[in-house]
Amino acid sequence: MINQIKSKSPWVIIMIGPPLSGKTSWINKNFDPSEYELVSRDQIVVDVHGENDYNVAFKSVDQKEVDRILTKRLTDVGMSSKNAIVDMTHMGRKRRKQNLSFFKNHYKVAVIFPILTESEYQRRNDKRTSEERKTIPIGIIKNMIDSYQTISHEEGFDKVYSI
């Protein structure tokens, strides 16, 4: 799968899965950062805040400013010939289609992550809280899972992979 993606250029990967499903770990395991531009709303939140504490940053930053920066980054990378990975949850068709629209000349790939057990989300959440100071309430994760919409042909992906 990875070699198929890398054989197309430029490419964009849209990560799809709830928080704590392994999206960022999968990226770090399979791609060298020099191969792509990462677009991550969570990272923008931390960058705008200026301190590496996501829990504090999320509560204190101007979310509209974060969205403006996100749109600019998607626009800039989408207009370039660089490969890109958009590391967000993308649980709904509207968000996926919107973010794909920035990448008119890219090979468009969706990578879908499985839904895990509640106990596994809790285990990963506890680990992330201690290591990264980033906590996602289980209720929010459940709501995101409930809001998931399966991929439709109209979204415009060239290839869809399930992990």
Side-chain angles (χ1 to χ4, degrees):
M1 164 184 40
I2 303 302
N3 289 335
Q4 285 180 320
I5 295 169
K6 290 180 180 182
S7 71
K8 312 285 183 179
S9 189
W11 46 259
V12 61
I13 299 173
I14 301 292
M15 307 299 283
I16 302 169
L20 302 167
S21 61
K23 298 181 299 295
T24 304
S25 296
W26 183 85
I27 293 167
N28 293 337
K29 179 181 172 189
N30 290 291
F31 293 90
D32 183 304
S34 66
E35 296 176 301
Y36 65 92
E37 291 287 326
L38 179 67
V39 180
S40 165
R41 190 178 191 287
D42 287 354
Q43 187 59 51
I44 294 169
V45 166
V46 171
D47 292 347
V48 167
H49 180 62
E51 187 180 322
N52 200 20
D53 186 328
Y54 182 85
N55 292 336
V56 173
F58 187 81
K59 292 175 185 171
S60 65
V61 298
D62 178 351
Q63 296 294 334
K64 289 184 181 184
E65 176 66 14
V66 170
D67 288 338
R68 282 190 288 276
I69 294 168
L70 174 63
T71 298
K72 177 153 180 24
R73 289 199 185 158
L74 288 166
T75 300
D76 291 348
V77 177
M79 290 177 22
S80 77
S81 60
K82 296 176 182 176
N83 299 321
I85 299 177
V86 184
D87 188 5
M88 296 169 52
T89 59
H90 291 108
M91 299 300 277
R93 289 183 192 116
K94 182 178 178 183
R95 171 60 82 176
R96 293 189 297 260
K97 194 170 180 179
Q98 177 185 7
N99 286 351
L100 269 186
S101 73
F102 291 98
F103 297 92
K104 304 227 183 296
N105 298 315
H106 286 66
Y107 182 72
K108 298 164 187 66
V109 178
V111 177
I112 304 170
F113 287 76
I115 303 302
L116 307 172
T117 64
E118 185 174 336
S119 62
E120 181 61 15
Y121 286 118
Q122 189 60 59
R123 186 191 71 75
R124 291 179 182 200
N125 213 5
D126 292 344
K127 183 175 188 256
R128 181 185 272 179
T129 299
S130 67
E131 292 177 0
E132 302 176 36
R133 293 180 290 184
K134 182 176 183 180
T135 304
I136 312 274
I138 293 298
I140 290 176
I141 295 170
K142 286 180 180 180
N143 288 341
M144 293 181 98
I145 291 168
D146 290 344
S147 73
Y148 176 68
Q149 296 173 315
T150 57
I151 289 184
S152 67
H153 179 71
E154 298 82 43
E155 290 177 52
F157 287 104
D158 296 305
K159 193 73 176 172
V160 176
Y161 295 102
S162 293
I163 299 298

